[in-house]
Amino acid sequence: MKVYVMVGAPGAGKGTQAAILAERLGLRHLASGDLFREAVRSGTPVGLEAKRYMDRGALVPDPVVIAMIDERLDRSDAAAGVILDGFPRTRPQAESLDAALARRGAQVDAALYVGVPEEELVRRLSGRWICRAAGHPYHDVSRPPRVPGICDIDGSELYQRDDDRPETVRARLAQQLEPMYDVIDHYTTQGVLVAVDGTQSIDDVTQALLRAIAHPARPVNRSEAA
Ligand code: AP5
Ligand code: MG
């Protein structure tokens, strides 16, 4: 089972790239935010709990997220491999994922960090549109749909996410960057972190990620480095 993890700030392009890579590599795209939004729409207990945090731009508590992802990894559509988008977001989540994968004889093959400066994140989130059917992302300026308001891929209606309002975007950035750096540190220590410049065009970011996946640097662990 191949496992890639997308790491990046809100709006960095995790969902955009994960969808493209999943298609190219034949892997399942699993986005924690999409799973929560689906649970909110269906009004499940997990959805009701998650909504309280998402509306404030805060992270959903680790146990809720970990249980949800663990259950999804057991489904048959994840058997060939997954691209995790939006998970893990904290060090305890990263440690739980390592344990969950080890139980299945797998490990994180690469953590793909898409780096984008904060001003650009705000620009990207304020112009973002998402499709109702599958969460395919568009942008007013950088990735407009062929027909305004309609998803190119599945024809469903496009909408703007509640948490893309400017005040919630500011809260997400204020609360979520710090734990993301812990996740980066976790995968750097494991020698599986790949960092790409996320300010390039969508295509160039994809090419950089595919090159990094095809030619992974030999992991250096701490005992070798010492
Ligand atoms: P989630 O849905 O994961 O949101 P996020 O991390 O804030 O990230 P986004 O989906 O907003 O951005 P993205 O990186 O996917 O960017 P995108 O590709 O769309 O999580 C939502 C909430 O759920 C969280 O706030 C939290 O409450 C909760 N949650 C989820 N997972 C959790 C977890 N593990 N633990 C705890 N809580 C959790 O791109 C953005 C825009 O930019 C688009 O318009 C796109 O078209 C455009 N764009 C993309 N790439 C480029 C480019 N290269 N150049 C120009 N424009 C670009
Ligand atoms: Mg996303």
Side-chain angles (χ1 to χ4, degrees), residues 36 45-47 49-50 53 60-70 93:
F36 282 133
V46 165
E49 170 153 29
Y53 296 90
V60 177
D62 287 337
V64 178
V65 195
I66 290 167
M68 179 177 76
I69 298 291
D70 200 45
Q93 289 183 20

Side-chain angles (χ1 to χ4, degrees), residues 8-17 32-34 36-37 50 53-55 57-62 65 85-90 93 120 123-125 127-130 137-140 142-143 161 163-164 172 176 198-203 205:
K14 300 183 296 297
T16 300
Q17 297 299 332
S32 48
D34 289 349
F36 282 133
R37 281 182 287 279
Y53 296 90
M54 294 167 81
D55 284 349
L59 290 175
V60 177
D62 287 337
V65 195
D85 157 15
F87 178 89
R89 283 270 241 284
T90 63
Q93 289 183 20
E120 171 67 5
R123 191 195 72 78
R124 287 188 184 180
L125 292 175
R128 173 166 65 179
W129 293 81
I130 304 282
Y138 296 86
H139 190 276
D140 282 338
S142 49
R143 202 196 197 195
R161 267 167 52 177
D163 61 348
D164 283 347
R172 287 159 68 195
Q176 300 187 17
T199 63
Q200 308 171 83
S201 71
I202 293 174
D203 275 356
V205 175

Side-chain angles (χ1 to χ4, degrees), residues 183-195:
V183 171
I184 290 175
D185 185 55
H186 178 86
Y187 290 122
T188 304
T189 303
Q190 290 189 352
V192 294
L193 190 86
V194 167

